């Protein structure tokens, strides 16, 4: 949500009222929201699924132990974790969801023991039974699995005889599967080093399956709210999911209605001011010229990320190769997918960080001594972290690193926070150094602004949240209980990426609009506070919508449903923002045309990707059937690139526009890139992601999550054709990305062809270009 340009100031009295009232409201809302989110975390921790000290049969035979379960979790995460299959629906979409797959296999084997005393019992055998006999058998299997036989006094879990023999069959099946692998589902051969590791990992999968089916104490559903859907073991959506889904839709409609009434009933003034054809800008300083190198690195990472995305998508139709090349021998699916997601975060964050380094001396009109050197040191440090973390994740996935080394230097196993803990800490250190570099250049603007709630101070506060909220990723380790680890992981993904980085970008663009004369500063400040209040007021608690099925109490679904619906309300601003931004674009058509158009694209994708497709998977009853399926990438691609990627490109172009020589500013390249990137994304979604995801969703509703993620569905003609149909969109998108890389490279070359002006540590005066 980058709503920086709308919400006019109204009367002068209104301006004064909002200037003093909105900061207090923002602080109050943040205190209340984060207090509630932390309280929810404490309740999640208290009510997380128990890990039994031992699982025993009725005859006291030890089936598996807590030590094996915990060791299995650490091993699974160390070898790629969520990038090879998924747990409780979180992870990749090609290999099985291990929780769903183990649960169904376990259920079938248990059914075989009940029916004939033989655990070798298949889905075909089940479906061959007469309907009454099948219904009776499924009822008996459901009773076996839904009854929670965990004994909190002794921390032991007692399994029935049928469950015990069924689980033994699962261990046998998985021993063979994890040794031989599955080319169809990109499960690598010899994924784990020895039989002990295979047994431990299977024990971890089995524990997640038990938690997904055994009823919570005093509740009619499991620790994961009966996810995954599986009729055989009695996993059906809780009735309250339908209720809270209806409530979320009502709240969404009501929230949008209230917002529109309040917004449209305000007296609004036209705050857009005349903009000169060539706005006055500061002389590019040495440090600002260095930021162009950041943008060049970011665009290079962008290209590599696209290539990794193509490889990753192609694995769905040619699981061990790339048009005959045995790609999986040196770049396994888990590695290409890890790099694809890592690089998305890296290149987008690099653009945002570089924008901060460019705009800090511009807004502060001050170039500190050795600022350029500091920028160079930061760029080198970030490059080392990016390359080091990518090498580390590959070494972890391919087994070069052991479990302990993998956590420190290789792969943490969780999506979007894959890099090893050492690289993670170094990245936090780099962002802290970035904050210091920004502060020293921006300090004069802070001194000039006497009001601590003004736009300049807001710029500083938003910058502080960048390293602060990324640091939350240190709150868990590779042996932290899964529910708690997921809770903190989504703090980083939802609150850092989708929350405070976006707030930072909002403030930057608001500040820039006021500096360029697009808006009065009072209007920019008011718009920034209002949109930040709207977003954080819903978005902080909206974090919980990621945790419906992560072993959390039932109130998480209710709370997450309500607040995730409210998250769409501030996105309604986007429609108004597009109109206002189009007006601004006309005012600056000759100079800031393409930066503003990428900003307009951000607005569009925010409404579509984050709003429409985000809400598509937010209602609990919908997500119950779509969790872990290819419906999620519809939202992920349209929001991650459409919103954050386009915003990163807009910030980059705003900066480059002001100091790239006119002869190097090639508008034809930008025009082609803009339409190719956005058009390619549209084609990719319409012909590939949307039909792919909805087909899988229908299979999940009709047959169960285990079937929707099975090799039978993944390799079906429909799924394969929709992957092939992505190719035109992928190619168009890639050509657009290559074009903007070419544009950026030419711009950087032109910048450094001219001598960098010597600038002392003194106030810079804006000079007409």
């Amino acid at each position: 949500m980058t709503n920086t340009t709308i919400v006019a100031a109204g009367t002068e009295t209104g301006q004064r009222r909002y200037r003093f009232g909105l900061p207090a409201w923002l602080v109050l809302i943040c205190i209340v929201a984060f207090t509630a989110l932390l309280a929810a975390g404490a309740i999640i921790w208290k009510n997380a699924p128990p890990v039994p000290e031992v699982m025993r049969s009725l005859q006291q035979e030890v089936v598996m132990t807590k030590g094996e379960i915990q060791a299995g979790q650490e091993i699974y995460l160390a070898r790629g974790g969520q990038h090879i299959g998924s747990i409780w629906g979180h992870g990749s979409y090609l290999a099985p969801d291990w929780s769903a797959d183990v649960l169904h296999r376990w259920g079938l084997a248990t059914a075989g023991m009940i029916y004939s005393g033989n655990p070798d019992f298949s889905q075909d055998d089940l479906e061959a039974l007469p309907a009454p006999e099948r219904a009776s058998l499924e009822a008996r299997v459901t009773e076996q699995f839904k009854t929670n036989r965990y004994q909190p006094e002794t921390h032991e879990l007692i399994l029935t005889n049928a469950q015990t023999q069924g689980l033994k069959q699962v261990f046998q099946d998985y021993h063979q599967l994890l040794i031989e692998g599955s080319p169809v589902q990109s499960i690598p051969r010899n994924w784990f080093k020895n039989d002990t590791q295979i047994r431990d990992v299977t024990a971890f999968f089995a524990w997640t399956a038990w938690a997904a089916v055994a009823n919570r104490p005093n509740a009619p559903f499991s620790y994961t709210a009966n996810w995954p859907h599986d009729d055989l073991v009695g996993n059906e959506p809780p009735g309250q999911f339908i209720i809270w889904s209806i409530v979320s839709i009502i709240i969404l409609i009501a929230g949008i209605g209230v917002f529109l009434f309040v917004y449209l009933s305000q007296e609004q003034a036209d705050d857009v001011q005349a903009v000169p054809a060539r706005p006055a800008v500061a002389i590019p300083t040495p440090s600002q010229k260095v930021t162009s190198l950041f943008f060049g690195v970011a665009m290079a990472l962008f290209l590599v990320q696209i290539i990794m995305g193509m490889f990753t998508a192609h694995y769905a139709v040619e699981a061990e190769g790339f048009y005959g090349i045995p790609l999986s021998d040196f770049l396994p699916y888990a590695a290409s997918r890890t790099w694809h997601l890592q690089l998305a975060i890296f290149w987008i964050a690099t653009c945002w960080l570089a924008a901060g380094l460019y705009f800090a001396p511009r807004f502060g009109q001050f170039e500190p001594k050795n600022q350029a050197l500091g920028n160079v040191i930061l760029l080198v440090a970030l490059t080392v972290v990016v390359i080091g973390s990518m090498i580390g994740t590959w070494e972890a996935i391919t087994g070069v690193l052991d479990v302990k080394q993998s956590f420190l230097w290789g792969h943490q196993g969780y999506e979007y926070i894959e890099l090893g803990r050492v690289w993670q800490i170094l990245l936090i250190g780099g962002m802290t150094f970035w904050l210091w570099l920004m502060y020293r250049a921006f300090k004069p603007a802070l001194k000039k602004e006497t009001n601590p709630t003004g736009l300049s101070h807001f710029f500083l506060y938003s910058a502080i949240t960048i390293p602060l909220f990324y640091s939350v990723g240190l709150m868990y380790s590779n042996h932290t209980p899964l529910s708690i680890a997921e809770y903190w992981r989504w703090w980083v993904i939802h609150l850092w990426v989708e929350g405070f980085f976006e707030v930072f970008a909002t403030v930057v663009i608001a500040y820039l609009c006021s500096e360029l004369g697009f808006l009065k500063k009072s209007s920019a400040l008011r718009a920034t506070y209002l949109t930040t209040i709207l977003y954080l007021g819903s978005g902080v608690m909206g974090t919980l919508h990621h945790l419906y099925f992560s072993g959390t109490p039932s109130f998480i679904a209710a709370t997450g449903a309500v607040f995730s619906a409210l998250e769409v309300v501030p996105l309604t601003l986007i429609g108004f923002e597009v109109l206002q931004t189009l007006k601004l674009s006309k005012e600056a058509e000759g100079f800031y045309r393409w930066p503003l158009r990428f900003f307009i694209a951000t607005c569009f994708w925010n409404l579509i990707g984050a709003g429409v497709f985000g809400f598509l998977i937010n209602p609990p009853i919908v997500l119950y059937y779509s969790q872990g399926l290819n419906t999620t990438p519809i939202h992920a691609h349209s929001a991650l690139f459409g919103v954050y990627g386009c915003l990163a490109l807009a910030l980059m172009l705003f900066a480059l526009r002001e100091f790239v020589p006119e002869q190097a500013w090639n508008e034809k390249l930008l025009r082609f890139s803009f339409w190719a990137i956005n058009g390619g994304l549209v084609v990719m979604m319409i012909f590939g992601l949307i039909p792919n995801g909805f087909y899988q969703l229908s299979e999940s509703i009709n047959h169960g999550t285990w079937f929707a993620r099975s090799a039978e569905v993944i390799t079906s003609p429909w799924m394969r054709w929709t992957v092939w149909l992505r190719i035109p969109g992928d190619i168009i998108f890639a050509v657009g990305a290559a074009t903007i890389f070419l544009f950026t490279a030419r711009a950087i070359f032109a910048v450094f062809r001219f001598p960098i002006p010597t600038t002392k540590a003194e106030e810079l005066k804006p000079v007409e270009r």
Side-chain angles (χ1 to χ4, degrees), residues 8 28 152 185 203 222 346 352 441-442 462 492 509 523 531 569 645 670 673 696 735:
L28 177 62
Q185 294 178 286
S222 72
F346 285 150
W352 286 350
F442 192 62
S462 65
V492 178
I509 295 180
S523 298
T531 53
V569 174
L670 287 178
S673 175
Q696 206 176 16
V735 172

Side-chain angles (χ1 to χ4, degrees), residues 332-549:
Y333 168 77
S336 70
R337 189 175 190 272
T338 294
W339 286 358
H340 180 58
L341 293 188
Q342 267 192 314
L343 288 169
I345 298 296
F346 285 150
W347 81 258
I348 291 172
T350 299
C351 283
W352 286 350
L353 296 177
L357 293 174
Y358 172 79
F359 286 113
R362 188 196 191 289
F363 296 157
Q365 297 194 352
F366 178 70
E367 174 81 353
K369 186 177 181 180
N370 296 323
Q371 183 79 349
L373 177 61
N375 287 1
V376 171
I377 292 172
L378 177 60
L379 179 60
V380 171
L382 292 176
T383 303
V384 169
V385 169
V386 169
I387 295 175
S389 65
M390 290 180 66
I391 293 173
T393 53
W394 180 86
E395 289 180 331
I397 290 167
T398 56
V400 175
L401 300 178
D402 62 27
V403 174
K404 183 176 180 180
Q405 290 175 329
S406 177
F407 177 72
L408 293 175
W409 298 97
H411 206 304
Q412 291 192 41
Y414 290 104
E415 281 185 303
Y416 297 104
I417 316 176
E418 298 89 350
L419 69 175
R421 181 54 54 90
V422 173
W423 303 115
Q424 186 182 18
I425 293 172
L426 290 175
L427 184 55
I428 293 170
M431 288 189 286
T432 304
F433 182 54
W434 164 82
L435 179 62
W436 178 74
L437 288 173
M438 284 217 332
Y439 172 74
R440 66 199 298 260
F442 192 62
K443 189 161 50 175
L446 296 172
K447 290 181 178 178
K448 291 178 182 178
E449 186 176 73
T450 56
N451 183 2
T453 61
L455 196 56
S456 295
H457 283 79
F458 203 162
F459 176 77
L460 175 64
Y461 303 149
S462 65
I464 291 172
T465 63
I466 303 305
L468 178 64
F469 277 86
Y470 187 77
S471 301
V472 175
L474 302 177
M475 297 297 292
Y476 61 87
S477 69
N478 59 344
H479 55 265
T480 300
L482 205 55
S483 299
I484 307 304
E486 286 291 342
Y487 169 77
W488 289 116
R489 181 172 77 94
W490 285 107
W491 267 61
V492 178
I493 300 170
H494 187 85
L495 291 177
W496 182 66
V497 177
E498 300 181 38
F500 287 98
F501 238 135
E502 200 163 352
V503 169
F504 172 73
T506 296
V507 179
V508 168
I509 295 180
Y511 208 126
L512 183 62
C513 286
S514 67
E515 288 279 308
L516 296 176
F518 292 166
L519 289 177
K520 294 178 182 178
K521 202 160 190 175
S522 59
S523 298
L525 177 62
R526 179 172 178 266
T528 302
Y529 270 110
L530 279 174
T531 53
T532 303
I533 286 171
L534 282 171
Y535 186 75
L536 294 183
S538 58
V540 172
M541 287 300 289
T543 305
L544 298 178
H545 81 261
H546 298 285
L547 302 172
Y548 293 164
F549 314 115

